[in-house]
Amino acid sequence: GDSVTQTEGPVTVSESESLIINCTYSATSIAYPNLFWYVRYPGEGLQLLLKVITAGQKGSSRGFEATYNKETTSFHLQKASVQESDSAVYYCALGPFYQGGRALIFGTGTTVSVSP
Amino acid sequence: EAAVTQSPRNKVTVTGGNVTLSCRQTNSHNYMYWYRQDTGHGLRLIHYSYGAGNLQIGDVPDGYKATRTTQEDFFLLLELASPSQTSLYFCASSDGDGDWGSAETLYFGSGTRLTVL
């Protein structure tokens, strides 16, 4: 079936350290899946962090990067040096699903805490 | 920037109670969605709509009704609330005018935390 699996949290890192959140997907009903990372800061709704629609391409935003790897069905999120303001919940997502309109399938979310 | 507003932010009710969660988006998006978020699960789609008067069933619709009264407003109805519906609920919207096969950005509200005692 279609699913997204990501690093279980919580993840705690120190400021200026690197961060990687793993995401793998299964897309049996979509020929050309689009891949997303969303982020939810405390007290806010989810917002798009980055999106990649073509296999082999890399997306980047706010110092975060993710590469769409069709061979390994992965879309890992990385940042070389995190800041305290990066503390949030990160969601990997896959879509679109025609039966769900333009709906996306989300992973469970990874809570990241960055300590000063 | 798309704006999606949910109300209330928090709601406590009792088993068997009647609850309505509200969502309004102000960017004239066609698609609106209701998701729930529970620990250990990703966001799960309850219902969605592609326009006023339209309703489509998502992946976890049991126990929920929804109604899209206008382009802007989408409501989630729990007519006999149960403790299993205790969750964080998110509403989202998207434009829906892109090519099929291209997923669009979803814009989310801040969520409603519902507790059913």
Side-chain angles (χ1 to χ4, degrees):
Chain A
D2 303 303
S3 65
V4 173
T5 302
Q6 62 180 101
T7 300
E8 276 198 37
V11 173
T12 303
V13 293
S14 298
E15 208 163 26
S16 78
E17 287 188 344
S18 64
L19 171 69
I20 181 165
I21 303 173
N22 291 327
C23 173
T24 57
Y25 68 89
S26 170
T28 57
S29 61
I30 316 175
Y32 303 100
N34 298 178
L35 296 172
F36 302 77
W37 279 101
Y38 278 79
V39 58
R40 179 161 66 94
Y41 299 105
E44 299 181 13
L46 285 77
Q47 56 184 274
L48 180 68
L49 180 60
L50 56 86
K51 166 185 174 180
V52 180
I53 64 173
T54 304
Q57 297 295 309
K58 179 169 70 177
S60 61
S61 174
R62 307 181 207 176
F64 288 90
E65 295 182 339
T67 300
Y68 182 164
N69 190 320
K70 190 175 182 181
E71 286 68 39
T72 59
T73 63
S74 66
F75 191 55
H76 307 318
L77 183 68
Q78 304 181 73
K79 188 172 186 181
S81 177
V82 297
Q83 302 172 328
E84 206 173 341
S85 58
D86 293 323
S87 296
V89 184
Y90 294 82
Y91 298 86
C92 186
L94 165 74
F97 289 90
Y98 298 152
Q99 290 180 335
R102 307 302 178 103
L104 306 180
I105 285 181
F106 288 84
T108 55
T110 301
T111 301
V112 173
S113 296
V114 180
S115 56
Chain B
E1 178 91 13
V4 180
T5 304
Q6 293 183 235
S7 62
R9 291 295 299 267
N10 293 282
K11 176 72 177 178
V12 179
T13 191
V14 296
T15 299
N18 193 323
V19 176
T20 298
L21 307 185
S22 302
C23 178
R24 166 165 283 200
Q25 54 96 2
T26 59
N27 261 43
S28 300
H29 282 170
N30 294 318
Y31 283 86
M32 295 185 75
Y33 311 83
W34 278 107
Y35 283 91
R36 60 178 287 175
Q37 158 90 83
D38 303 292
T39 303
H41 292 275
L43 275 73
R44 294 181 289 175
L45 183 65
I46 304 170
H47 290 297
Y48 69 100
S49 164
Y50 55 74
N54 176 265
L55 180 65
Q56 303 294 321
I57 294 172
D59 297 324
V60 289
D62 292 346
Y64 301 96
K65 293 183 179 179
T67 179
R68 180 93 175 267
T69 54
T70 64
Q71 179 84 345
E72 295 77 22
D73 297 304
F74 195 30
F75 300 93
L76 186 67
L77 310 164
L78 291 74
E79 295 182 332
L80 287 171
S82 73
S84 64
Q85 294 175 308
T86 293
S87 187
L88 179 59
Y89 292 86
F90 288 105
C91 175
S93 72
S94 67
D95 196 356
D97 282 343
D99 295 333
W100 280 112
S102 176
E104 298 171 338
T105 299
L106 268 62
Y107 295 87
F108 283 84
S110 300
T112 294
R113 187 166 295 281
L114 174 66
T115 303
V116 184
L117 301 174

